[in-house]
Amino acid sequence: MRIDIVSVFPEYLEPLRLSLVGKAIERGQIDLHVHDLRDFTSDKHRTVDDAPFGGGPGMVMLPEPWALCLESILESGKADGRSKPTLVIPVPSGRQFTQRQAEDLASLDWMIFACGRYEGIDSRVADYFAERCEVRELSIGDYVLAGGEAAVLVMVEAAARLVPGVLGNPESHNDDSFSESNEGFLEGPIYTRPEQWRGLAVPPILLSGDHAAVANWRKEQSRERTAKYRPDLLGGQE
Ligand code: SAM
């Protein structure tokens, strides 16, 4: 899988080189390219923004540096033998990023992430590249961040751990909250050693060795937690 990320703060994406995603990069499962948008400006101030048409506060990212940068990425991906990437533009006004979206991104061969700053990117950029890329405008939640970098860290990590071979144990995301094998519900409580810790005991069923009973208990707990915190996920089942 190839991932290109464009930002005016390329250092912000450095954490991707740590931990699980970092290991996947080292193993060659993910080919990560981070680009500085300012390298595609032509004035001495390396300007990437201007005032919004129609007035109002804040600044909007200029379309031309984005076009030059995205065109150079498209050329480089083509030389790499790849075709039509998915262009992800994180925006609070986009479709909600969910576990289903993460699963879908994990199945793609090539993704480009465009990190906005200020009031965001001139909307013509998404329209202009819609022929050469599959454009997805995605929001990670109902709040507004200062830039798209943190949203991209979230989306890349959520997708990368689902790429086959990235997690040590491929079964380990089966019980995850929101996973299809968990009926889309939240995961219930989890425990490890010691059995007694500071006066608190592990639920005895987990020590019973009865796998069917444990599975039933986990299912019940998962349902209870979902009803408590996310009744919307029960989809009319309560
Ligand atoms: N004026 C925009 C609006 O209200 O829709 C907010 C712009 S925000 C200050 C700057 C950038 O942060 C956005 O272009 C986007 O890249 C990113 N961003 C902020 N909140 C986000 C969210 N919830 N999900 C994804 N990206 C977000």
Side-chain angles (χ1 to χ4, degrees):
M1 168 190 284
R2 172 170 167 150
I3 298 178
D4 289 90
I5 305 175
V6 185
S7 165
V8 286
F9 295 114
E11 308 81 4
Y12 210 122
L13 286 314
E14 277 305 301
L16 288 177
R17 305 208 177 262
L18 303 172
S19 186
L20 200 81
V21 184
K23 291 222 168 67
I25 294 170
E26 277 170 27
R27 286 196 293 258
Q29 291 163 318
I30 293 176
D31 181 19
L32 177 70
H33 303 256
V34 178
H35 310 266
D36 185 346
L37 183 70
R38 292 193 196 276
D39 291 344
F40 297 85
T41 56
S42 48
D43 64 316
K44 90 167 188 254
H45 299 293
R46 301 180 15 112
T47 310
V48 293
D49 60 324
D50 205 336
F53 276 125
M59 301 292 267
V60 175
M61 294 189 102
L62 292 163
E64 191 57 15
W66 276 104
L68 295 175
C69 179
L70 293 173
E71 278 161 358
S72 124
I73 294 171
L74 289 174
E75 279 308 307
S76 133
K78 224 164 53 185
D80 198 18
R82 318 225 174 212
S83 59
K84 203 163 183 179
T86 293
L87 173 61
V88 178
I89 307 180
V91 279
S93 55
R95 187 186 296 277
Q96 200 187 343
F97 179 73
T98 61
Q99 188 67 8
R100 293 293 89 72
Q101 284 278 347
E103 285 161 7
D104 200 46
L105 294 188
S107 70
L108 300 174
D109 175 56
W110 183 17
M111 284 174 275
I112 306 173
F113 290 88
C115 303
R117 281 268 151 185
Y118 321 114
E119 291 309 314
I121 305 170
D122 186 310
S123 296
R124 289 170 292 182
V125 172
D127 298 338
Y128 184 79
F129 284 93
E131 255 181 40
R132 278 180 281 172
C133 307
E134 186 234 337
V135 179
R136 295 189 195 182
E137 294 184 287
L138 299 176
S139 164
I140 62 159
D142 292 350
Y143 40 78
V144 178
L145 303 164
E149 290 77 7
V152 169
L153 291 175
V154 166
M155 291 190 263
V156 170
E157 184 160 311
R161 66 189 289 283
L162 301 176
V163 171
V166 167
L167 278 186
N169 178 355
E171 307 264 290
S172 60
H173 52 72
N174 284 353
D175 293 338
D176 280 345
S177 298
F178 314 111
S179 65
E180 270 181 48
S181 34
N182 203 18
E183 297 175 79
F185 296 167
L186 303 180
E187 188 181 61
I190 52 171
Y191 304 89
T192 185
R193 277 187 273 272
E195 284 177 35
Q196 290 285 342
W197 175 76
R198 298 191 179 202
L200 297 171
V202 167
I205 185 96
L206 297 178
L207 311 173
S208 68
D210 181 340
H211 298 302
V214 169
N216 271 337
W217 180 84
R218 285 196 170 133
K219 220 171 167 169
E220 269 167 37
Q221 294 292 316
S222 153
R223 232 188 139 76
E224 251 175 53
R225 193 174 174 88
T226 308
K228 183 171 173 191
Y229 292 125
R230 292 293 304 276
D232 55 302
L233 296 176
L234 293 169
Q237 291 188 36
E238 282 296 281

Coordinates of all heavy atoms in Angstrom, one line a residue, residues 90-93 115-121 138-141 143-148 151, ligand 1:
P90 N -9.5 15.5 4.7 CA -10.2 15.6 6.0 C -10.8 16.9 6.2 O -10.1 18.0 6.0 CB -9.0 15.4 7.0 CG -7.7 15.5 6.3 CD -8.0 15.5 4.8
V91 N -12.1 17.0 6.5 CA -12.8 18.2 6.7 C -13.9 17.9 7.8 O -14.5 16.8 7.8 CB -13.5 18.8 5.5 CG1 -12.6 19.5 4.6 CG2 -14.2 17.7 4.7
P92 N -14.1 18.9 8.7 CA -15.2 18.6 9.7 C -16.6 18.5 9.0 O -17.5 17.9 9.5 CB -15.2 19.8 10.6 CG -14.3 20.8 10.0 CD -13.4 20.1 8.9
S93 N -16.7 19.0 7.8 CA -18.0 19.0 7.1 C -18.1 17.8 6.2 O -19.0 17.7 5.3 CB -18.1 20.3 6.2 OG -17.0 20.4 5.4
C115 N -3.8 17.5 3.9 CA -4.1 18.1 5.2 C -4.4 19.6 5.0 O -3.5 20.4 4.6 CB -2.9 18.0 6.1 SG -2.4 16.3 6.4
G116 N -5.6 20.1 5.3 CA -5.9 21.5 5.2 C -5.5 22.2 6.5 O -5.2 21.6 7.5
R117 N -5.3 23.5 6.4 CA -5.0 24.4 7.5 C -5.9 25.6 7.3 O -6.6 25.8 6.3 CB -3.6 24.8 7.6 CG -2.7 23.7 8.2 CD -2.5 23.9 9.7 NE -2.3 22.7 10.4 CZ -2.2 22.5 11.7 NH1 -2.3 23.6 12.5 NH2 -2.0 21.4 12.2
Y118 N -5.9 26.6 8.2 CA -6.7 27.8 8.2 C -8.2 27.4 8.0 O -8.7 26.6 8.7 CB -6.2 28.7 7.0 CG -4.7 28.7 6.9 CD1 -4.0 28.2 5.8 CD2 -3.9 29.2 7.9 CE1 -2.6 28.1 5.7 CE2 -2.5 29.1 7.9 CZ -1.9 28.6 6.7 OH -0.5 28.5 6.7
E119 N -8.9 28.0 7.0 CA -10.3 27.7 6.9 C -10.5 26.5 6.0 O -11.6 26.0 5.7 CB -11.1 28.9 6.3 CG -11.2 30.0 7.3 CD -11.7 29.6 8.7 OE1 -12.7 28.8 8.7 OE2 -11.2 30.0 9.7
G120 N -9.4 25.9 5.4 CA -9.4 24.8 4.6 C -8.9 25.1 3.2 O -8.4 26.1 2.9
I121 N -9.1 24.1 2.3 CA -8.5 24.2 0.9 C -9.6 24.7 -0.1 O -10.8 24.3 0.0 CB -8.1 22.7 0.4 CG1 -7.1 22.2 1.5 CG2 -7.5 22.8 -1.0 CD1 -6.8 20.7 1.3
L138 N -13.7 13.4 4.5 CA -14.0 12.7 5.7 C -13.8 13.5 6.9 O -12.8 14.2 7.0 CB -13.2 11.4 5.7 CG -13.3 10.4 4.6 CD1 -12.3 9.2 4.8 CD2 -14.7 9.8 4.6
S139 N -14.7 13.3 7.9 CA -14.6 14.0 9.2 C -14.3 13.0 10.3 O -15.0 11.9 10.3 CB -15.9 14.7 9.5 OG -15.9 15.1 10.9
I140 N -13.4 13.3 11.2 CA -13.2 12.3 12.3 C -14.1 12.6 13.5 O -14.0 11.8 14.5 CB -11.7 12.2 12.7 CG1 -11.2 13.5 13.3 CG2 -10.8 11.7 11.6 CD1 -9.9 13.3 14.2
G141 N -14.9 13.6 13.4 CA -15.8 13.8 14.6 C -16.4 15.2 14.5 O -16.0 16.0 13.8
Y143 N -16.2 18.1 15.8 CA -15.5 19.1 16.5 C -14.5 19.6 15.5 O -14.3 19.0 14.4 CB -14.7 18.6 17.7 CG -14.1 17.2 17.5 CD1 -12.9 17.1 16.7 CD2 -14.7 16.1 17.9 CE1 -12.4 15.8 16.5 CE2 -14.2 14.8 17.7 CZ -13.1 14.7 17.0 OH -12.5 13.5 16.7
V144 N -13.9 20.8 15.7 CA -13.1 21.4 14.7 C -11.6 21.5 15.2 O -11.3 22.1 16.2 CB -13.6 22.8 14.3 CG1 -12.7 23.5 13.3 CG2 -15.0 22.7 13.7
L145 N -10.7 20.9 14.5 CA -9.3 20.9 14.8 C -8.7 22.1 14.0 O -9.3 22.7 13.2 CB -8.6 19.6 14.2 CG -9.2 18.3 14.8 CD1 -8.7 17.1 13.9 CD2 -8.8 18.1 16.2
A146 N -7.4 22.4 14.4 CA -6.7 23.5 13.7 C -6.2 23.1 12.3 O -5.9 23.9 11.5 CB -5.6 24.0 14.6
G147 N -6.0 21.8 12.1 CA -5.5 21.3 10.8 C -5.8 19.8 10.6 O -6.2 19.1 11.5
G148 N -5.6 19.4 9.4 CA -5.9 18.0 9.0 C -4.9 17.0 9.5 O -5.2 15.8 9.4
A151 N -6.1 14.5 12.1 CA -7.2 13.7 11.5 C -6.5 12.6 10.7 O -7.0 11.4 10.7 CB -8.1 14.5 10.7
Ligands
SAM1 N1 -13.8 26.2 8.4 C1 -13.8 24.8 8.5 C2 -15.2 24.3 8.8 O1 -15.8 24.8 9.8 O2 -15.7 23.3 8.2 C3 -12.8 24.4 9.5 C4 -11.4 24.5 9.1 S1 -10.3 23.8 10.3 C5 -9.9 25.1 11.3 C6 -8.8 23.5 9.4 C7 -8.6 22.1 8.9 O3 -8.6 21.2 9.9 C8 -9.6 21.6 7.9 O4 -9.4 22.0 6.6 C9 -9.4 20.1 8.0 O5 -8.3 19.6 7.2 C10 -9.0 19.9 9.5 N2 -10.1 19.5 10.4 C11 -10.7 20.2 11.4 N3 -11.6 19.5 12.0 C12 -11.7 18.3 11.4 C13 -12.4 17.1 11.6 N4 -13.4 17.1 12.6 N5 -12.2 16.1 10.8 C14 -11.3 16.1 9.8 N6 -10.5 17.2 9.6 C15 -10.7 18.3 10.4

